[in-house]
Amino acid sequence: MTASTIDGKAAALALREQVRDEVLRFRDTTGRAPGLAVVLVGEDPASAIYVRSKGKATREAGMESFEHKLPADAAEDELLALVDRLSADPTVDGILVQLPLPPQIDASKVITRIDPDKDVDGFNPVNAGRVAIGLPGFVPCTPLGCLKLLKAERGRLTGLDAVIIGRSNIVGKPIALLLLGESATVTVAHSRTRDLPEVVRRADIVIAAVGRPEMVKGDWLKPGATVIDVGINRIDVGEGTPRLVGDVDFASASEIAGAITPVPGGVGPMTIACLIRNTLVSAARREGFELETSL
């Protein structure tokens, strides 16, 4: 048995095309484009790459991209003042402050300061609470992308056993809530879970978001399970260039699973696609614009 590969690039492209079509209608109706403001503090190379890719995707969707860069030694009050201005700016529908932030800035204070209705990253505690009790709110983009890939692969998730390895506020906890909303039976496991392989082995759905390279082996899996690998780890293979791997040992897992996301090319592209999706949804809500597709 060889698992089918879940093509995150193709799924992301399809979602981005849907968003672009809706953005055209939005612009024709409202006379403006949805706007996403991205804030980068400092010169972290990985963060700079992420910001550029987000800006490119935003512009390709027909939206306005507002990029704000602050020096690495920027004061917390300076960043908070910028967030306040963006929250009040009617041309801005989504605000994203790129993490991590320099040590002199309290990230939780910044996230809490963002207007929840423009919090397209879904990190504000108000949105976390909305998602927890089933109210409309913004879901973090990576968990939303995972759910979309799962539903495209499995259809209805009702009654399926799902195990999430990882309990972060960014991935583990939100995807658990989303899967509960789909009537799956959810277990949140982590590095201290007793007999973790046995816990994973009973799952129809496995979501690995623990940050340990190739930790989940093929013999941990139930035959035919659907595996969503959120991990992005750089490992040195002695050839001068680090290799990207996930939290799942793809080679051995592919022999047991029914379907699996690759790394790269799986969850990653969906994260950015869901970011521009959230920005459009924010703009539509603020303008009272009805979307033709569920996105």
Side-chain angles (χ1 to χ4, degrees):
M1 175 180 178
T2 302
S4 63
T5 299
I6 299 173
D7 191 341
K9 289 182 179 179
L13 178 61
L15 177 57
R16 287 168 64 165
E17 287 176 346
Q18 281 185 295
V19 170
R20 187 170 63 242
D21 290 345
E22 290 282 15
V23 167
L24 287 173
R25 290 183 53 248
F26 180 91
R27 294 178 69 151
D28 288 344
T29 302
T30 66
R32 73 175 184 91
L36 173 64
V38 180
V39 180
L40 176 64
V41 183
E43 298 293 337
D44 178 75
S47 293
I49 290 171
Y50 290 143
V51 166
R52 283 198 298 272
S53 62
K54 289 167 182 174
K56 182 173 182 285
T58 303
R59 291 187 293 272
E60 287 177 349
M63 299 182 183
E64 296 285 351
S65 177
F66 309 112
E67 295 183 11
H68 298 266
K69 295 182 180 179
L70 297 179
D73 60 356
E76 183 178 89
D77 286 347
E78 183 181 0
L79 177 55
L80 291 174
L82 173 58
V83 168
D84 287 345
R85 290 198 299 274
L86 295 174
S87 292
D89 187 339
T91 67
V92 173
D93 300 289
I95 301 169
L96 183 154
V97 177
Q98 183 66 45
L99 303 178
L101 292 169
Q104 76 275 14
I105 298 175
D106 183 346
S108 62
K109 188 180 294 186
V110 175
I111 289 167
T112 303
R113 193 71 159 252
I114 295 171
D115 179 350
D117 293 328
K118 296 186 178 185
D119 170 39
V120 289
D121 245 348
F123 294 163
N124 187 292
V126 172
N127 278 316
R130 287 170 175 169
V131 173
I133 62 174
L135 294 177
F138 289 112
V139 179
C141 301
T142 297
L144 182 58
C146 291
L147 181 66
K148 288 182 176 296
L149 291 176
L150 276 172
K151 292 177 75 172
E153 179 65 30
R154 299 289 304 240
R156 293 184 66 212
L157 307 181
T158 300
L160 296 180
D161 283 317
V163 170
I164 301 156
I165 311 171
R167 52 183 168 175
S168 71
N169 292 332
I170 295 174
V171 180
K173 291 175 184 176
I175 192 63
L177 292 169
L178 291 178
L179 289 171
L180 285 171
E182 298 292 329
S183 298
T185 300
V186 180
T187 299
V188 179
H190 44 80
S191 60
R192 297 186 182 181
T193 298
R194 292 182 181 178
D195 199 1
L196 181 58
E198 190 60 35
V199 172
V200 174
R201 206 167 282 126
R202 67 170 184 256
D204 303 301
I205 295 167
V206 178
I207 298 176
V210 71
R212 295 189 179 183
E214 300 180 324
M215 184 181 84
V216 179
K217 307 301 182 184
D219 61 7
W220 290 27
L221 301 175
K222 177 181 180 179
T226 301
V227 180
I228 305 293
D229 190 350
V230 181
I232 302 179
N233 308 285
R234 289 172 174 82
I235 62 172
D236 185 1
V237 293
E239 300 172 357
T241 302
R243 183 166 63 95
L244 279 181
V245 299
D247 291 349
V248 178
D249 179 7
F250 186 87
S252 65
S254 295
E255 298 177 359
I256 305 296
I260 185 170
T261 57
V263 176
V267 173
M270 285 298 289
T271 297
I272 292 180
C274 287
L275 173 66
I276 62 169
R277 176 263 182 202
N278 280 357
T279 302
L280 171 61
V281 169
S282 173
R285 289 174 180 170
R286 297 179 65 239
E287 296 285 355
F289 177 80
E290 187 172 346
L291 298 173
E292 288 186 345
T293 53
S294 61
L295 296 178

